[in-house]
């Protein structure tokens, strides 16, 4: 049934043509059987029937032209003395169509005017003989205006609803475009922030290499073992700097100026415990635990882990409520680092997490996803059973 309905909606002219054929058939029977029409009038009625049927068939394809065609057929009917018949139903159909279509308003108002005048003109032409007094005949003539007015009002109401629906669609599309634009801006801002941090990490590693190289050159002759250790440090730091540089090249830079010209090392995993203590001092209960054997990880991975925990605890403080508590778990695997941050607060609306955070600056889940994607990890977020929110991340030692 739905397929049939969709087919009919895709072929409006075909549907109108079907009804036009039925109108033509019944109208011709009405003309043939009309005893008040002589042969001359019956022949004159045939073009009127054809015009009315054509107007019904093409009313949605050429609305304005079909209105003028129907109006001309009606005037011809009055001029030649053809009495009303089945074919005049086309007038109501055309009046409804004109009022409902996107034609100029003056055309719609003109159609209403002719619709209001149709019944009085007809009764002036042929008179009213209802077997009553003149007052009853006048009331009947006025009453026959009502169907024309109703047809126009129904069409105009449909036109208003369509316009309102189109405005809603346009507004929804505009809001959707704005939301996408804001999300893109948030992503770009977060990538710029990540790029600046990685820039500082690489610069710090290079600075360490320079210091170690100067020290190795200074003690090369006096203390070869110390020089060897310095060279090993330079080698390890250089590999790490190359890895961070590859990640840095994959992050979009916005060209924003640095807040400081001093290159300083960024937070690492060891400072997560310091971060937890700061949050506790601010009044949030936080349970912190480390599983596995702690070891040194690439700077990008450690920075990502710190920022994820920082953002998760910030969200808990913002949206968890006054009685909320949180837990932070770090799990060292052979091939990576696992993070699990949970809270038992009431949480923010789901839409805020989806849009990247209530602050609208892109430092919510958008930032987390960008950081996780930068190091090739995985992120799983969502409400936890019993209330609260859960953020689970796995950071591999090597980018996939």
């Amino acid at each position: 049934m739905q397929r049939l309905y969709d087919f009919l909606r895709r072929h409006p002219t075909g549907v109108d043509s079907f009804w036009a054929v039925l109108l033509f058939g019944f109208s011709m029977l009405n003309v043939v059987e009309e005893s008040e029409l002589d042969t001359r009038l019956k022949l004159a009625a045939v073009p009127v029937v054809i015009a009315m049927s054509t107007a019904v068939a093409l009313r949605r394809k050429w609305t304005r032209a079909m209105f003028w065609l129907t109006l001309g057929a009606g005037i011809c009917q009055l001029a030649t003395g053809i009495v009303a018949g089945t074919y005049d139903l086309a007038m109501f159909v055309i009046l409804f169509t004109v009022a409902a279509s996107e034609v100029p308003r003056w055309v719609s108002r003109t159609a209403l005017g002719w619709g209001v005048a149709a019944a009085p003109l007809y009764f002036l032409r042929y008179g009213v003989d209802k077997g009553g007094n003149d007052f009853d005949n006048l009331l009947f003539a006025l009453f026959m205006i009502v169907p024309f007015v109703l047809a126009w009002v129904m069409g105009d109401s449909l036109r208003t609803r369509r316009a309102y629906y189109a405005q809603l669609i346009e507004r929804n599309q505009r809001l959707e475009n704005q939301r996408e634009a804001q999300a893109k801006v948030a992503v770009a801002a977060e990538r710029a922030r990540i790029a600046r941090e990685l820039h500082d990490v690489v610069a710090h590693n290079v600075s360490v290499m320079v210091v170690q190289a100067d020290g190795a050159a200074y003690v090369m002759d006096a203390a070869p073992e110390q020089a060897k250790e310095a060279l090993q440090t330079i080698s390890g730091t250089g590999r790490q700097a190359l890895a961070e540089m590859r990640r840095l090249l994959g992050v979009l830079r916005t060209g924003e100026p640095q807040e400081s010209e001093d290159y300083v090392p960024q937070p690492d995993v060891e400072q997560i415990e310091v971060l937890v203590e700061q949050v506790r001092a601010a009044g949030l209960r936080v349970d912190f635990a480390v599983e596995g054997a702690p070891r040194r990880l690439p700077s990008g991975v450690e920075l990502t882990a710190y920022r994820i925990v920082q953002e998760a605890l910030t969200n808990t403080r913002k949206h968890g409520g006054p009685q909320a508590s949180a837990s932070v778990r770090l799990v060292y695997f052979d091939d990576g680092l696992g993070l699990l941050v949970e809270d038992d607060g009431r949480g923010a609306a789901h839409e805020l997490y989806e849009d990247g955070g209530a602050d609208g600056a892109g430092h919510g889940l958008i930032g987390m996803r960008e950081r996780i994607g930068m190091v090739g990890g995985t992120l799983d977020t969502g409400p936890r059973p019993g209330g609260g929110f859960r953020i689970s991340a796995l950071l591999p030692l090597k980018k996939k």
Side-chain angles (χ1 to χ4, degrees), residues 79-106:
T80 56
I82 302 173
V83 297
T86 307
Y87 39 85
D88 289 315
L89 292 174
M91 294 184 179
F92 300 106
V93 177
I94 296 301
L95 187 58
F96 170 84
T97 304
V98 170
S101 302
E102 295 298 327
V103 298
R105 295 299 291 174
W106 70 267

Side-chain angles (χ1 to χ4, degrees), residues 7 14 76 114 155 173 176 213 218-219 271-272 278 283 339 357 372 374 396:
F7 175 81
C76 178
W114 279 107
Q173 185 62 42
E176 187 66 25
Y218 182 76
V219 299
Q271 296 188 37
I272 292 180
Q278 293 174 349
L339 296 174
I372 288 291
M374 181 190 66

Side-chain angles (χ1 to χ4, degrees), residues 182-203:
Q182 291 174 356
K184 291 180 180 179
V185 170
V187 169
E190 190 63 25
R191 287 183 177 181
R193 179 188 178 194
I194 296 171
R196 289 194 298 268
E197 292 177 346
L198 284 179
H199 180 270
D200 292 347
V201 169
V202 174

Side-chain angles (χ1 to χ4, degrees), residues 92-112 147-165:
F92 300 106
V93 177
I94 296 301
L95 187 58
F96 170 84
T97 304
V98 170
S101 302
E102 295 298 327
V103 298
R105 295 299 291 174
W106 70 267
V107 177
S108 179
R109 294 189 181 98
T110 301
L112 175 62
F148 292 92
V149 175
L150 286 179
W152 187 89
V153 170
M154 291 174 61
D156 190 69
S157 176
L158 178 60
R159 175 177 179 167
T160 302
R161 289 198 301 271
R162 286 175 176 172
Y164 178 70
Y165 182 68

Side-chain angles (χ1 to χ4, degrees), residues 97-383:
T97 304
V98 170
S101 302
E102 295 298 327
V103 298
R105 295 299 291 174
W106 70 267
V107 177
S108 179
R109 294 189 181 98
T110 301
L112 175 62
W114 279 107
V116 171
L121 289 175
Y122 182 84
F123 290 122
L124 286 176
R125 174 69 171 81
Y126 296 100
V128 182
D129 186 13
K130 302 305 294 180
N133 53 38
D134 293 339
F135 181 74
D136 292 337
N137 292 336
L138 178 61
L139 287 180
F140 178 75
L142 295 176
F143 178 76
M144 292 305 298
I145 298 175
V146 174
F148 292 92
V149 175
L150 286 179
W152 187 89
V153 170
M154 291 174 61
D156 190 69
S157 176
L158 178 60
R159 175 177 179 167
T160 302
R161 289 198 301 271
R162 286 175 176 172
Y164 178 70
Y165 182 68
Q167 289 179 355
L168 290 180
I169 293 178
E170 181 183 359
R171 180 183 179 186
N172 182 69
Q173 185 62 42
R174 185 169 62 253
L175 292 175
E176 187 66 25
N177 293 338
Q178 292 177 355
R179 180 178 178 181
E180 292 178 359
Q182 291 174 356
K184 291 180 180 179
V185 170
V187 169
E190 190 63 25
R191 287 183 177 181
R193 179 188 178 194
I194 296 171
R196 289 194 298 268
E197 292 177 346
L198 284 179
H199 180 270
D200 292 347
V201 169
V202 174
H204 174 71
N205 288 338
V206 174
S207 300
V208 171
M209 293 168 60
V210 172
V211 171
Q212 293 291 332
D214 290 342
Y218 182 76
V219 299
M220 179 68 71
D221 297 330
E225 289 299 325
Q226 294 183 11
K228 181 178 180 180
E229 293 178 0
L231 292 175
Q232 291 176 347
T233 301
I234 292 173
S235 176
T237 305
R239 291 190 180 92
Q240 185 174 342
L242 286 175
E244 302 301 340
M245 183 65 71
R246 294 190 189 98
R247 295 193 178 102
L248 176 61
L249 294 177
V251 178
L252 179 64
R253 297 300 301 266
T254 62
E256 296 179 0
Q258 299 291 328
E259 296 180 359
S260 173
E261 296 181 356
D262 298 329
Y263 299 127
V264 296
Q266 295 294 331
D268 53 21
V269 173
E270 293 181 357
Q271 296 188 37
I272 292 180
E273 186 173 2
V274 178
L275 172 65
V276 170
E277 292 298 332
Q278 293 174 349
V279 174
R280 287 172 177 168
L284 178 66
R285 299 189 305 275
V286 182
D287 180 28
F288 178 69
V290 178
E291 301 178 10
R295 61 184 182 278
R296 191 67 181 174
L297 301 174
S299 300
V301 173
E302 296 204 4
L303 175 60
T304 299
Y306 181 89
R307 292 304 186 196
I308 289 177
V309 174
Q310 183 184 44
E311 183 62 37
L313 293 178
T314 299
N315 285 339
T316 300
R317 292 179 59 187
K318 283 184 178 180
H319 312 298
Q323 304 300 324
S325 62
S327 64
V328 178
R329 295 288 184 275
L330 302 183
V331 183
Y332 286 89
F333 299 104
D334 294 337
D335 56 352
L337 175 67
L339 296 174
L340 179 61
V341 184
E342 296 180 302
D343 66 66
D344 57 3
R346 58 172 178 260
H350 182 68
E351 291 78 4
L352 296 180
Y353 291 107
E354 289 296 325
D355 290 341
D359 55 7
H363 300 310
L365 295 190
I366 287 181
M368 292 185 187
R369 292 192 181 99
E370 289 298 318
R371 292 181 182 279
I372 288 291
M374 181 190 66
V375 299
T378 58
L379 178 68
D380 183 23
T381 63

